[in-house]
Amino acid sequence: MSSCDSTATYAAKDFKSDVKPVWCPGCGDYAVLSSITKAFADLGLKPHETSVVSGIGCSSRIPAYTNTYGIHSIHGRALAVGQGLKLARPDLTVMVAGGDGDGFSIGGNHFLHACRRNVDLTYIVMDNRVYGMTKGQPSPTTESDWDASAMAPPGGTGMTPFHPLAIALASGANFIARGFSGDPNGTAQIIAEAIRHPGFSFVAIMSPCITFREEQRDWKNTMRNVNIEPTTDPAQAARRLMTDDGFNCGILYRGNRPAYGKEKKATNAVSDLDREFTL
């Protein structure tokens, strides 16, 4: 991270590092990077007060491309690192970023427990329904019959795709949303709202990998903004998510659970406790 002025105002470009991204041409992650830096700037954050943590994979290159504190951690363990960082340094704005393979397969168990622990951080998953870095294996969110890659089994995996948003709700996530890399401004607004919301915020961003999934070019025609009021009712959110076809974008749930690790206020005075010991 380059040096920072604590009194300065920072624009989106100030949150980008000098490292040139090496993603494939047409990768949706370019736009997600722009959305993240725009959200940081719109919130008035400062680079030295912000940290981006990632695991392993194409999208996990994000810390190298941002001018903030950053940790490029180990496969599937980014949430464990990010939660530890936030609990040790609650003054930092912590974002954890990664892909669908890193987050839902290798790191699947960390995802569940991060949702229920509810540490105040934002988790962004760039979902392209494929392992891109390792040349096109099916990921947990890949359609069960997808076999267009030489790295996929004939006829597909035959397994039901993971439903990350519904699982996040059932596990206790406090904010759930979906964005699309083809709408960088709308996605930046969602990310900013996720950072503002206390507790564990989960944002799935559909980010095409046209190198291994050419058909994802059509997502620009199928992704849609739902323009509905986010619900605070988990039951209503569950109905909304379980009838979702995976292409609705927007903020879908805002919970009101207190974040883990918040300072607890005393409910009794010391004199009240003393009386409990009076014989």
Side-chain angles (χ1 to χ4, degrees), residues 72-242:
H72 194 173
S73 70
I74 53 179
H75 213 353
R77 308 296 183 257
L79 277 173
V81 175
Q83 289 171 97
L85 174 61
K86 182 63 182 182
L87 292 176
R89 288 287 308 274
D91 55 309
L92 288 178
T93 296
V94 176
M95 170 177 289
V96 179
D100 40 299
D102 180 71
F104 304 144
S105 182
I106 298 91
N109 209 29
H110 287 293
F111 177 54
L112 300 180
H113 294 284
C115 289
R116 76 184 186 97
R117 190 171 292 116
N118 201 33
V119 173
D120 186 19
L121 59 79
T122 300
Y123 184 38
I124 289 178
V125 172
M126 285 154 264
D127 190 352
N128 54 21
R129 301 179 178 177
V130 71
Y131 284 93
M133 179 174 278
T134 50
K135 312 301 181 187
Q137 298 91 346
S139 83
T141 53
T142 302
E143 298 84 344
S144 62
D145 59 350
W146 182 76
D147 63 355
S149 166
M151 303 293 280
T157 64
M159 294 191 289
T160 301
F162 213 67
H163 195 325
L165 281 71
I167 292 171
L169 178 69
S171 302
N174 213 34
F175 179 102
I176 298 171
R178 181 186 289 117
F180 174 45
S181 63
D183 178 17
N185 288 331
T187 298
Q189 291 175 9
I190 289 173
I191 294 172
E193 288 298 314
I195 293 172
R196 283 196 189 99
H197 196 76
F200 185 85
S201 296
F202 172 56
V203 182
I205 302 177
M206 307 310 292
S207 180
C209 172
I210 61 172
T211 299
F212 294 103
R213 301 213 53 174
E214 173 77 19
E215 73 279 10
Q216 290 178 352
R217 291 182 185 274
D218 193 50
W219 279 0
K220 64 180 182 295
N221 299 316
T222 53
M223 301 300 301
R224 67 187 83 88
N225 290 315
V226 290
N227 294 321
I228 55 175
E229 187 67 23
T231 180
T232 58
D233 178 4
Q236 183 180 5
R239 288 192 293 273
R240 181 177 291 174
L241 294 176
M242 293 308 294

